[in-house]
Amino acid sequence: MDPNLLKQRLNSGELVLGTSLSAPDARVAVATCQSGIDFLWIDTEHAPFATESVELLPVLARQNGVAPVIRVAWNDPALIKKAYDIGAVGVMVPQVDTAEAAARAVDYAYYPPKGRRGVAPNWPFVAGIDRDPVIQRANEETVLILQIESRQAYDNLEEIARVPGIDVLFVGPMDLSASLGVITRVQDPAVQEIMEDVPRRLVGTGVAVGTTLADIAEVRQKIEWGYRFMSVGNPLTYGLQALSQHLATLR
């Protein structure tokens, strides 16, 4: 199995596109991986499942040439460690508001001497590959994604970005709208002004900017603003839209 190139692509400034997994099902995961995505976002923050249910999905994604990204429920060393140990290339940590919180996430994500993550990944056994080379190159391939979801995080943006070991700062529009007092109104000027400003403030830092959107016109807008790590809708939502349109046409 070739090393995953997600970190290299992010470091070179390439645009990477992914989508979220609608259910922890192997068939759904493999079919989604075969759509042409660069990364598969598996959410264990708001979804009603955790790493036990995710199980083999990260390995299946890797075997299909896609980088598995797991969003953990909190900035917790046990959750972050388990996500990487079952095969995540990238781990997304929600609601990181300060440089101190960012530094903790880095500490939890990387093996010594860069961090303090314990060494015992189990995904190489599942994939049928030698574990030692995987461990030895892990820090070079580990992708850490921290979510910027509040006014406080936005105010601390440069300090957070200066913490070594962060690959992506990921703006969460919905939580940001709540923090700004316009909950659910993600198109509110207050939300959009911050979303436009974040990439400008991170120019030259080496940290990529990401977000998640479903409307293609808005995705294109954010790419023009400088976003390089884009989660584009999900197959369930797009599939239901197509089904509804077809049913309406037939009726």
Side-chain angles (χ1 to χ4, degrees), residues 4-8 10-11 67-70 84 88-92 109-110 138-146 165-168 229:
N4 194 282
L5 300 178
L6 181 62
K7 195 178 189 86
Q8 293 180 28
L10 288 169
N11 288 341
V69 171
I70 297 178
Y84 283 119
V89 169
V91 166
M92 185 184 299
Y110 289 92
N139 279 2
E140 300 170 9
E141 297 179 16
T142 292
V143 173
L144 182 61
I145 305 151
L146 306 184
I166 300 169
D167 298 287
V168 180
F229 184 89

PDB file of all heavy atoms in Angstrom, residues 4-8 10-11 67-70 84 88-92 109-110 138-146 165-168 229:
ATOM      1  N   ASN A   4       0.068   7.566   1.839  1.00  0.00           N
ATOM      2  CA  ASN A   4      -0.939   8.526   1.410  1.00  0.00           C
ATOM      3  C   ASN A   4      -0.296   9.881   1.154  1.00  0.00           C
ATOM      4  O   ASN A   4       0.563  10.320   1.914  1.00  0.00           O
ATOM      5  CB  ASN A   4      -2.021   8.645   2.481  1.00  0.00           C
ATOM      6  CG  ASN A   4      -3.238   9.364   1.949  1.00  0.00           C
ATOM      7  OD1 ASN A   4      -3.248  10.575   1.836  1.00  0.00           O
ATOM      8  ND2 ASN A   4      -4.246   8.615   1.589  1.00  0.00           N
ATOM      9  N   LEU A   5      -0.719  10.544   0.101  1.00  0.00           N
ATOM     10  CA  LEU A   5      -0.083  11.791  -0.335  1.00  0.00           C
ATOM     11  C   LEU A   5      -0.853  13.036   0.076  1.00  0.00           C
ATOM     12  O   LEU A   5      -0.553  14.133  -0.397  1.00  0.00           O
ATOM     13  CB  LEU A   5       0.084  11.770  -1.860  1.00  0.00           C
ATOM     14  CG  LEU A   5       0.939  10.622  -2.413  1.00  0.00           C
ATOM     15  CD1 LEU A   5       0.991  10.698  -3.932  1.00  0.00           C
ATOM     16  CD2 LEU A   5       2.336  10.640  -1.825  1.00  0.00           C
ATOM     17  N   LEU A   6      -1.857  12.903   0.943  1.00  0.00           N
ATOM     18  CA  LEU A   6      -2.674  14.062   1.295  1.00  0.00           C
ATOM     19  C   LEU A   6      -1.838  15.186   1.878  1.00  0.00           C
ATOM     20  O   LEU A   6      -1.990  16.349   1.494  1.00  0.00           O
ATOM     21  CB  LEU A   6      -3.769  13.643   2.283  1.00  0.00           C
ATOM     22  CG  LEU A   6      -4.729  14.759   2.718  1.00  0.00           C
ATOM     23  CD1 LEU A   6      -5.511  15.315   1.533  1.00  0.00           C
ATOM     24  CD2 LEU A   6      -5.686  14.265   3.793  1.00  0.00           C
ATOM     25  N   LYS A   7      -0.935  14.861   2.781  1.00  0.00           N
ATOM     26  CA  LYS A   7      -0.128  15.907   3.416  1.00  0.00           C
ATOM     27  C   LYS A   7       0.753  16.611   2.389  1.00  0.00           C
ATOM     28  O   LYS A   7       0.866  17.844   2.404  1.00  0.00           O
ATOM     29  CB  LYS A   7       0.723  15.306   4.532  1.00  0.00           C
ATOM     30  CG  LYS A   7       1.327  16.334   5.478  1.00  0.00           C
ATOM     31  CD  LYS A   7       2.104  15.662   6.588  1.00  0.00           C
ATOM     32  CE  LYS A   7       2.523  16.641   7.669  1.00  0.00           C
ATOM     33  NZ  LYS A   7       1.486  16.835   8.692  1.00  0.00           N
ATOM     34  N   GLN A   8       1.355  15.835   1.481  1.00  0.00           N
ATOM     35  CA  GLN A   8       2.193  16.444   0.445  1.00  0.00           C
ATOM     36  C   GLN A   8       1.385  17.373  -0.443  1.00  0.00           C
ATOM     37  O   GLN A   8       1.850  18.464  -0.813  1.00  0.00           O
ATOM     38  CB  GLN A   8       2.846  15.353  -0.399  1.00  0.00           C
ATOM     39  CG  GLN A   8       3.865  14.506   0.340  1.00  0.00           C
ATOM     40  CD  GLN A   8       4.472  13.441  -0.538  1.00  0.00           C
ATOM     41  OE1 GLN A   8       4.564  13.605  -1.756  1.00  0.00           O
ATOM     42  NE2 GLN A   8       4.877  12.333   0.053  1.00  0.00           N
ATOM     43  N   LEU A  10      -1.378  18.967   0.317  1.00  0.00           N
ATOM     44  CA  LEU A  10      -1.728  20.170   1.070  1.00  0.00           C
ATOM     45  C   LEU A  10      -0.524  21.099   1.170  1.00  0.00           C
ATOM     46  O   LEU A  10      -0.653  22.319   1.005  1.00  0.00           O
ATOM     47  CB  LEU A  10      -2.213  19.786   2.466  1.00  0.00           C
ATOM     48  CG  LEU A  10      -3.599  19.131   2.543  1.00  0.00           C
ATOM     49  CD1 LEU A  10      -3.846  18.563   3.926  1.00  0.00           C
ATOM     50  CD2 LEU A  10      -4.689  20.117   2.164  1.00  0.00           C
ATOM     51  N   ASN A  11       0.646  20.538   1.434  1.00  0.00           N
ATOM     52  CA  ASN A  11       1.856  21.356   1.560  1.00  0.00           C
ATOM     53  C   ASN A  11       2.221  22.053   0.255  1.00  0.00           C
ATOM     54  O   ASN A  11       2.820  23.134   0.266  1.00  0.00           O
ATOM     55  CB  ASN A  11       3.034  20.489   2.026  1.00  0.00           C
ATOM     56  CG  ASN A  11       2.910  20.073   3.482  1.00  0.00           C
ATOM     57  OD1 ASN A  11       2.169  20.678   4.240  1.00  0.00           O
ATOM     58  ND2 ASN A  11       3.630  19.029   3.870  1.00  0.00           N
ATOM     59  N   ALA A  67      -7.876   9.247   1.097  1.00  0.00           N
ATOM     60  CA  ALA A  67      -7.423   9.507   2.458  1.00  0.00           C
ATOM     61  C   ALA A  67      -8.619   9.538   3.407  1.00  0.00           C
ATOM     62  O   ALA A  67      -9.501  10.394   3.258  1.00  0.00           O
ATOM     63  CB  ALA A  67      -6.687  10.841   2.522  1.00  0.00           C
ATOM     64  N   PRO A  68      -8.669   8.635   4.383  1.00  0.00           N
ATOM     65  CA  PRO A  68      -9.752   8.688   5.362  1.00  0.00           C
ATOM     66  C   PRO A  68      -9.503   9.774   6.402  1.00  0.00           C
ATOM     67  O   PRO A  68      -8.406   9.865   6.971  1.00  0.00           O
ATOM     68  CB  PRO A  68      -9.724   7.297   5.996  1.00  0.00           C
ATOM     69  CG  PRO A  68      -8.329   6.822   5.812  1.00  0.00           C
ATOM     70  CD  PRO A  68      -7.783   7.478   4.589  1.00  0.00           C
ATOM     71  N   VAL A  69     -10.507  10.602   6.632  1.00  0.00           N
ATOM     72  CA  VAL A  69     -10.439  11.663   7.631  1.00  0.00           C
ATOM     73  C   VAL A  69     -11.545  11.401   8.649  1.00  0.00           C
ATOM     74  O   VAL A  69     -12.713  11.264   8.274  1.00  0.00           O
ATOM     75  CB  VAL A  69     -10.623  13.052   6.993  1.00  0.00           C
ATOM     76  CG1 VAL A  69     -10.778  14.129   8.064  1.00  0.00           C
ATOM     77  CG2 VAL A  69      -9.448  13.389   6.079  1.00  0.00           C
ATOM     78  N   ILE A  70     -11.199  11.322   9.907  1.00  0.00           N
ATOM     79  CA  ILE A  70     -12.180  11.107  10.958  1.00  0.00           C
ATOM     80  C   ILE A  70     -12.294  12.361  11.814  1.00  0.00           C
ATOM     81  O   ILE A  70     -11.289  12.857  12.334  1.00  0.00           O
ATOM     82  CB  ILE A  70     -11.804   9.905  11.843  1.00  0.00           C
ATOM     83  CG1 ILE A  70     -11.804   8.615  11.025  1.00  0.00           C
ATOM     84  CG2 ILE A  70     -12.776   9.780  13.029  1.00  0.00           C
ATOM     85  CD1 ILE A  70     -11.395   7.378  11.809  1.00  0.00           C
ATOM     86  N   TYR A  84      -6.584   7.662  14.668  1.00  0.00           N
ATOM     87  CA  TYR A  84      -5.385   7.355  13.876  1.00  0.00           C
ATOM     88  C   TYR A  84      -5.077   5.858  13.895  1.00  0.00           C
ATOM     89  O   TYR A  84      -4.646   5.291  12.892  1.00  0.00           O
ATOM     90  CB  TYR A  84      -4.179   8.132  14.401  1.00  0.00           C
ATOM     91  CG  TYR A  84      -4.147   9.590  14.016  1.00  0.00           C
ATOM     92  CD1 TYR A  84      -4.164  10.589  14.989  1.00  0.00           C
ATOM     93  CD2 TYR A  84      -4.099   9.982  12.683  1.00  0.00           C
ATOM     94  CE1 TYR A  84      -4.129  11.932  14.646  1.00  0.00           C
ATOM     95  CE2 TYR A  84      -4.063  11.324  12.335  1.00  0.00           C
ATOM     96  CZ  TYR A  84      -4.081  12.298  13.314  1.00  0.00           C
ATOM     97  OH  TYR A  84      -4.053  13.630  12.978  1.00  0.00           O
ATOM     98  N   ALA A  88      -7.077   6.370  10.180  1.00  0.00           N
ATOM     99  CA  ALA A  88      -7.266   7.725   9.663  1.00  0.00           C
ATOM    100  C   ALA A  88      -5.936   8.314   9.212  1.00  0.00           C
ATOM    101  O   ALA A  88      -4.928   8.208   9.916  1.00  0.00           O
ATOM    102  CB  ALA A  88      -7.900   8.624  10.720  1.00  0.00           C
ATOM    103  N   VAL A  89      -5.925   8.922   8.041  1.00  0.00           N
ATOM    104  CA  VAL A  89      -4.787   9.723   7.611  1.00  0.00           C
ATOM    105  C   VAL A  89      -4.869  11.090   8.272  1.00  0.00           C
ATOM    106  O   VAL A  89      -3.874  11.636   8.742  1.00  0.00           O
ATOM    107  CB  VAL A  89      -4.769   9.878   6.078  1.00  0.00           C
ATOM    108  CG1 VAL A  89      -3.758  10.932   5.640  1.00  0.00           C
ATOM    109  CG2 VAL A  89      -4.455   8.549   5.416  1.00  0.00           C
ATOM    110  N   GLY A  90      -6.093  11.638   8.314  1.00  0.00           N
ATOM    111  CA  GLY A  90      -6.316  12.925   8.940  1.00  0.00           C
ATOM    112  C   GLY A  90      -7.339  12.824  10.049  1.00  0.00           C
ATOM    113  O   GLY A  90      -8.298  12.061   9.949  1.00  0.00           O
ATOM    114  N   VAL A  91      -7.119  13.576  11.113  1.00  0.00           N
ATOM    115  CA  VAL A  91      -8.102  13.695  12.186  1.00  0.00           C
ATOM    116  C   VAL A  91      -8.513  15.154  12.297  1.00  0.00           C
ATOM    117  O   VAL A  91      -7.668  16.057  12.284  1.00  0.00           O
ATOM    118  CB  VAL A  91      -7.546  13.183  13.528  1.00  0.00           C
ATOM    119  CG1 VAL A  91      -8.427  13.624  14.695  1.00  0.00           C
ATOM    120  CG2 VAL A  91      -7.438  11.666  13.501  1.00  0.00           C
ATOM    121  N   MET A  92      -9.831  15.365  12.378  1.00  0.00           N
ATOM    122  CA  MET A  92     -10.396  16.697  12.514  1.00  0.00           C
ATOM    123  C   MET A  92     -10.883  16.880  13.951  1.00  0.00           C
ATOM    124  O   MET A  92     -11.624  16.046  14.467  1.00  0.00           O
ATOM    125  CB  MET A  92     -11.559  16.888  11.529  1.00  0.00           C
ATOM    126  CG  MET A  92     -12.142  18.290  11.520  1.00  0.00           C
ATOM    127  SD  MET A  92     -13.599  18.436  10.428  1.00  0.00           S
ATOM    128  CE  MET A  92     -12.892  18.014   8.838  1.00  0.00           C
ATOM    129  N   ALA A 109      -1.734  14.033  18.579  1.00  0.00           N
ATOM    130  CA  ALA A 109      -1.793  13.470  17.231  1.00  0.00           C
ATOM    131  C   ALA A 109      -0.491  12.818  16.775  1.00  0.00           C
ATOM    132  O   ALA A 109      -0.522  11.912  15.936  1.00  0.00           O
ATOM    133  CB  ALA A 109      -2.192  14.554  16.225  1.00  0.00           C
ATOM    134  N   TYR A 110       0.632  13.291  17.298  1.00  0.00           N
ATOM    135  CA  TYR A 110       1.927  12.856  16.763  1.00  0.00           C
ATOM    136  C   TYR A 110       2.682  11.966  17.741  1.00  0.00           C
ATOM    137  O   TYR A 110       2.568  12.116  18.961  1.00  0.00           O
ATOM    138  CB  TYR A 110       2.791  14.073  16.428  1.00  0.00           C
ATOM    139  CG  TYR A 110       2.303  14.850  15.232  1.00  0.00           C
ATOM    140  CD1 TYR A 110       1.416  15.922  15.377  1.00  0.00           C
ATOM    141  CD2 TYR A 110       2.716  14.517  13.938  1.00  0.00           C
ATOM    142  CE1 TYR A 110       0.966  16.635  14.286  1.00  0.00           C
ATOM    143  CE2 TYR A 110       2.270  15.227  12.837  1.00  0.00           C
ATOM    144  CZ  TYR A 110       1.389  16.280  13.016  1.00  0.00           C
ATOM    145  OH  TYR A 110       0.943  16.978  11.924  1.00  0.00           O
ATOM    146  N   ALA A 138       4.899   7.643  10.147  1.00  0.00           N
ATOM    147  CA  ALA A 138       3.588   8.180  10.528  1.00  0.00           C
ATOM    148  C   ALA A 138       3.598   9.699  10.688  1.00  0.00           C
ATOM    149  O   ALA A 138       2.701  10.389  10.195  1.00  0.00           O
ATOM    150  CB  ALA A 138       3.103   7.514  11.815  1.00  0.00           C
ATOM    151  N   ASN A 139       4.590  10.229  11.381  1.00  0.00           N
ATOM    152  CA  ASN A 139       4.608  11.679  11.603  1.00  0.00           C
ATOM    153  C   ASN A 139       4.722  12.461  10.309  1.00  0.00           C
ATOM    154  O   ASN A 139       4.277  13.613  10.227  1.00  0.00           O
ATOM    155  CB  ASN A 139       5.749  12.058  12.540  1.00  0.00           C
ATOM    156  CG  ASN A 139       5.399  11.838  14.007  1.00  0.00           C
ATOM    157  OD1 ASN A 139       4.310  11.370  14.335  1.00  0.00           O
ATOM    158  ND2 ASN A 139       6.330  12.166  14.893  1.00  0.00           N
ATOM    159  N   GLU A 140       5.323  11.855   9.287  1.00  0.00           N
ATOM    160  CA  GLU A 140       5.467  12.537   8.001  1.00  0.00           C
ATOM    161  C   GLU A 140       4.153  12.553   7.222  1.00  0.00           C
ATOM    162  O   GLU A 140       3.985  13.377   6.321  1.00  0.00           O
ATOM    163  CB  GLU A 140       6.534  11.844   7.154  1.00  0.00           C
ATOM    164  CG  GLU A 140       7.916  11.818   7.792  1.00  0.00           C
ATOM    165  CD  GLU A 140       8.872  10.914   7.032  1.00  0.00           C
ATOM    166  OE1 GLU A 140       8.502  10.456   5.934  1.00  0.00           O
ATOM    167  OE2 GLU A 140       9.985  10.668   7.534  1.00  0.00           O
ATOM    168  N   GLU A 141       3.237  11.638   7.549  1.00  0.00           N
ATOM    169  CA  GLU A 141       1.988  11.524   6.799  1.00  0.00           C
ATOM    170  C   GLU A 141       0.765  11.992   7.575  1.00  0.00           C
ATOM    171  O   GLU A 141      -0.296  12.229   6.993  1.00  0.00           O
ATOM    172  CB  GLU A 141       1.776  10.072   6.374  1.00  0.00           C
ATOM    173  CG  GLU A 141       2.855   9.570   5.437  1.00  0.00           C
ATOM    174  CD  GLU A 141       2.640   8.117   5.048  1.00  0.00           C
ATOM    175  OE1 GLU A 141       1.527   7.607   5.260  1.00  0.00           O
ATOM    176  OE2 GLU A 141       3.586   7.504   4.535  1.00  0.00           O
ATOM    177  N   THR A 142       0.916  12.123   8.894  1.00  0.00           N
ATOM    178  CA  THR A 142      -0.212  12.523   9.730  1.00  0.00           C
ATOM    179  C   THR A 142      -0.716  13.903   9.336  1.00  0.00           C
ATOM    180  O   THR A 142       0.049  14.856   9.227  1.00  0.00           O
ATOM    181  CB  THR A 142       0.208  12.525  11.216  1.00  0.00           C
ATOM    182  OG1 THR A 142       0.440  11.179  11.623  1.00  0.00           O
ATOM    183  CG2 THR A 142      -0.863  13.142  12.092  1.00  0.00           C
ATOM    184  N   VAL A 143      -2.015  13.999   9.127  1.00  0.00           N
ATOM    185  CA  VAL A 143      -2.663  15.275   8.815  1.00  0.00           C
ATOM    186  C   VAL A 143      -3.552  15.652   9.994  1.00  0.00           C
ATOM    187  O   VAL A 143      -4.382  14.851  10.440  1.00  0.00           O
ATOM    188  CB  VAL A 143      -3.498  15.169   7.526  1.00  0.00           C
ATOM    189  CG1 VAL A 143      -4.316  16.439   7.302  1.00  0.00           C
ATOM    190  CG2 VAL A 143      -2.592  14.905   6.324  1.00  0.00           C
ATOM    191  N   LEU A 144      -3.379  16.862  10.498  1.00  0.00           N
ATOM    192  CA  LEU A 144      -4.173  17.358  11.621  1.00  0.00           C
ATOM    193  C   LEU A 144      -4.993  18.556  11.154  1.00  0.00           C
ATOM    194  O   LEU A 144      -4.452  19.535  10.645  1.00  0.00           O
ATOM    195  CB  LEU A 144      -3.273  17.745  12.793  1.00  0.00           C
ATOM    196  CG  LEU A 144      -3.995  18.237  14.043  1.00  0.00           C
ATOM    197  CD1 LEU A 144      -4.921  17.160  14.613  1.00  0.00           C
ATOM    198  CD2 LEU A 144      -2.985  18.680  15.105  1.00  0.00           C
ATOM    199  N   ILE A 145      -6.294  18.449  11.370  1.00  0.00           N
ATOM    200  CA  ILE A 145      -7.245  19.465  10.922  1.00  0.00           C
ATOM    201  C   ILE A 145      -7.963  20.014  12.149  1.00  0.00           C
ATOM    202  O   ILE A 145      -8.588  19.257  12.901  1.00  0.00           O
ATOM    203  CB  ILE A 145      -8.279  18.841   9.954  1.00  0.00           C
ATOM    204  CG1 ILE A 145      -7.562  18.153   8.789  1.00  0.00           C
ATOM    205  CG2 ILE A 145      -9.266  19.880   9.453  1.00  0.00           C
ATOM    206  CD1 ILE A 145      -8.334  16.990   8.205  1.00  0.00           C
ATOM    207  N   LEU A 146      -7.864  21.291  12.384  1.00  0.00           N
ATOM    208  CA  LEU A 146      -8.504  21.919  13.536  1.00  0.00           C
ATOM    209  C   LEU A 146      -9.626  22.837  13.066  1.00  0.00           C
ATOM    210  O   LEU A 146      -9.457  23.583  12.100  1.00  0.00           O
ATOM    211  CB  LEU A 146      -7.485  22.713  14.351  1.00  0.00           C
ATOM    212  CG  LEU A 146      -6.242  21.944  14.811  1.00  0.00           C
ATOM    213  CD1 LEU A 146      -5.374  22.832  15.685  1.00  0.00           C
ATOM    214  CD2 LEU A 146      -6.620  20.672  15.550  1.00  0.00           C
ATOM    215  N   GLY A 165       2.664  21.831  13.413  1.00  0.00           N
ATOM    216  CA  GLY A 165       1.989  20.548  13.337  1.00  0.00           C
ATOM    217  C   GLY A 165       0.568  20.601  12.817  1.00  0.00           C
ATOM    218  O   GLY A 165      -0.071  19.563  12.646  1.00  0.00           O
ATOM    219  N   ILE A 166       0.067  21.804  12.543  1.00  0.00           N
ATOM    220  CA  ILE A 166      -1.292  21.956  12.025  1.00  0.00           C
ATOM    221  C   ILE A 166      -1.234  22.001  10.503  1.00  0.00           C
ATOM    222  O   ILE A 166      -0.451  22.756   9.921  1.00  0.00           O
ATOM    223  CB  ILE A 166      -1.947  23.245  12.550  1.00  0.00           C
ATOM    224  CG1 ILE A 166      -2.023  23.224  14.080  1.00  0.00           C
ATOM    225  CG2 ILE A 166      -3.336  23.442  11.950  1.00  0.00           C
ATOM    226  CD1 ILE A 166      -2.399  24.561  14.693  1.00  0.00           C
ATOM    227  N   ASP A 167      -2.069  21.216   9.852  1.00  0.00           N
ATOM    228  CA  ASP A 167      -2.103  21.197   8.386  1.00  0.00           C
ATOM    229  C   ASP A 167      -3.262  21.991   7.813  1.00  0.00           C
ATOM    230  O   ASP A 167      -3.115  22.636   6.770  1.00  0.00           O
ATOM    231  CB  ASP A 167      -2.206  19.748   7.894  1.00  0.00           C
ATOM    232  CG  ASP A 167      -0.998  18.931   8.305  1.00  0.00           C
ATOM    233  OD1 ASP A 167       0.072  19.139   7.725  1.00  0.00           O
ATOM    234  OD2 ASP A 167      -1.123  18.099   9.224  1.00  0.00           O
ATOM    235  N   VAL A 168      -4.423  21.942   8.470  1.00  0.00           N
ATOM    236  CA  VAL A 168      -5.620  22.600   7.949  1.00  0.00           C
ATOM    237  C   VAL A 168      -6.356  23.278   9.096  1.00  0.00           C
ATOM    238  O   VAL A 168      -6.522  22.697  10.179  1.00  0.00           O
ATOM    239  CB  VAL A 168      -6.584  21.587   7.279  1.00  0.00           C
ATOM    240  CG1 VAL A 168      -7.824  22.296   6.740  1.00  0.00           C
ATOM    241  CG2 VAL A 168      -5.886  20.817   6.172  1.00  0.00           C
ATOM    242  N   PHE A 229      -9.138  22.913   1.064  1.00  0.00           N
ATOM    243  CA  PHE A 229      -9.558  21.620   1.613  1.00  0.00           C
ATOM    244  C   PHE A 229     -11.083  21.676   1.730  1.00  0.00           C
ATOM    245  O   PHE A 229     -11.630  22.216   2.685  1.00  0.00           O
ATOM    246  CB  PHE A 229      -8.901  21.387   2.976  1.00  0.00           C
ATOM    247  CG  PHE A 229      -9.177  20.035   3.594  1.00  0.00           C
ATOM    248  CD1 PHE A 229      -8.348  18.956   3.326  1.00  0.00           C
ATOM    249  CD2 PHE A 229     -10.245  19.852   4.458  1.00  0.00           C
ATOM    250  CE1 PHE A 229      -8.582  17.718   3.910  1.00  0.00           C
ATOM    251  CE2 PHE A 229     -10.484  18.619   5.045  1.00  0.00           C
ATOM    252  CZ  PHE A 229      -9.661  17.546   4.771  1.00  0.00           C
TER     253      PHE A 229
END
